[in-house]
Amino acid sequence: MKINNILIPLFIGSVLFTSCKKETTNKEVNNDELVKLESKKLNNWFQETFEKDVADSPMRQTYLGQKTDDYGKWDDISDKAAQKELVKTKERLRYLNDSINIALLNNETLLSFQLAKKGFENSISDFKFRFHSYPVNQMHGRQSEIPAFLINMHEISDTTDARAYISRLKGIRNLFLQLEEGLKTRGSKGIVPPKFVFDKVIEDSKNIINGYPFNKSMKESTLLKDFKGKINKLDIAN
């Protein structure tokens, strides 16, 4: 069949238009796929870093209701641990800057990227001010947070949990030695709470060690009462 010369340009144009349309569609599909892959890559990384942070924090595990081999431990609050955290934060910021193509992130993941990057940058720039705080104060200092954590967060469902509670009781000494070291460093830098705070903190601390077995009182101390109350709810064979 012969094609009229007048129709040849129209035929060619139609073919080219169809070809271009298919090419554009393929590019869009490919780009959508790249966005999906890059966004998934970053979100998987976010999940992995979150899980690593949880694994490094016995207290966070407890807050999340997880009972692992760390159930009887406390977080490391030493400055050495803070230094390691800084290194980790710098590595994570480097990963975001060097390994993620933000042009291929969907809107939700791009927002997560921006928030994470800003958070890492702030943590790094603020690190030099890490001692500019009052870890012991009249509102929510360690002297009250630690007992409250045991009472409100440490559940006892069996003898293993009970042993973990006892382990944490024994571990308070080392935890507070780390706290004491941090307070000394702050003191050397002149970072000390207002004078009125001291009496309130001392009162809080005395309340925790008031009662048996800290003295001969017939009244049980706060933590002993909590521990016995949780134990008495268990069905444990003698």
Side-chain angles (χ1 to χ4, degrees):
M1 182 181 69
K2 293 184 179 180
I3 300 177
N4 190 294
N5 290 339
I6 298 177
L7 297 178
I8 290 177
L10 296 177
F11 175 78
I12 295 174
S14 176
V15 172
L16 291 174
F17 175 78
T18 303
S19 176
C20 289
K21 185 176 181 181
K22 287 183 179 179
E23 183 180 352
T24 301
T25 302
N26 288 336
K27 285 183 178 179
E28 290 176 351
V29 171
N30 291 337
N31 189 65
D32 289 343
E33 185 64 22
L34 289 174
V35 169
K36 181 179 180 180
L37 289 173
E38 192 72 2
S39 298
K40 182 179 180 180
K41 170 186 172 183
L42 180 56
N43 284 317
N44 287 342
W45 182 80
F46 281 142
Q47 182 64 30
E48 290 170 2
T49 55
F50 171 76
E51 292 174 357
K52 288 178 181 177
D53 287 343
V54 172
D56 289 339
S57 172
M59 295 179 70
R60 187 180 298 187
Q61 292 169 25
T62 301
Y63 280 123
L64 293 174
Q66 299 179 7
K67 293 181 180 180
T68 70
D69 292 340
D70 294 332
Y71 199 45
K73 300 177 183 178
W74 298 105
D75 287 1
D76 187 343
I77 61 172
S78 66
D79 191 52
K80 182 178 180 180
Q83 297 281 352
K84 290 174 62 177
E85 186 70 21
L86 175 64
V87 172
K88 183 173 66 176
T89 302
K90 288 181 177 180
E91 290 174 349
R92 291 178 175 180
L93 179 60
R94 191 178 304 114
Y95 176 84
L96 290 182
N97 287 331
D98 298 343
S99 303
I100 300 298
N101 186 345
I102 61 175
L104 292 177
L105 298 178
N106 59 39
N107 292 335
E108 294 81 2
T109 309
L110 176 60
L111 178 59
S112 297
F113 172 93
Q114 293 169 335
L115 291 173
K117 181 179 179 181
K118 190 63 178 177
F120 293 150
E121 290 172 343
N122 288 344
S123 294
I124 293 169
S125 63
D126 293 346
F127 186 75
K128 57 182 175 291
F129 300 115
R130 64 191 181 282
F131 293 114
H132 289 65
S133 62
Y134 302 141
V136 172
N137 60 76
Q138 80 282 13
M139 300 296 291
H140 46 74
R142 295 276 184 180
Q143 80 286 351
S144 57
E145 288 177 346
I146 296 305
F149 177 90
L150 283 169
I151 294 170
N152 299 319
M153 302 308 304
H154 190 112
E155 298 178 353
I156 297 180
S157 302
D158 52 34
T159 55
T160 299
D161 294 347
R163 292 190 182 95
Y165 192 109
I166 295 172
S167 178
R168 273 181 164 155
L169 286 174
K170 293 179 178 179
I172 288 178
R173 175 176 175 79
N174 183 63
L175 179 70
F176 274 44
L177 285 175
Q178 291 180 341
L179 173 63
E180 182 181 354
E181 189 64 29
L183 293 175
K184 288 180 178 178
T185 300
R186 287 171 173 80
S188 67
K189 297 177 179 293
I191 303 169
V192 181
K195 188 175 181 179
F196 75 86
V197 171
F198 286 71
D199 289 339
K200 297 182 182 299
V201 169
I202 292 173
E203 182 180 359
D204 285 346
S205 302
K206 286 182 176 180
N207 286 338
I208 298 301
I209 58 174
N210 181 35
Y212 185 80
F214 299 103
N215 55 41
K216 296 181 180 180
S217 170
M218 297 297 294
K219 178 183 177 182
E220 295 175 342
S221 63
T222 301
L223 290 177
L224 178 59
K225 182 179 180 180
D226 175 63
F227 180 74
K228 287 182 64 176
K230 291 173 179 176
I231 290 293
N232 289 336
K233 294 179 181 178
L234 300 181
D235 183 15
I236 303 177
N238 294 327

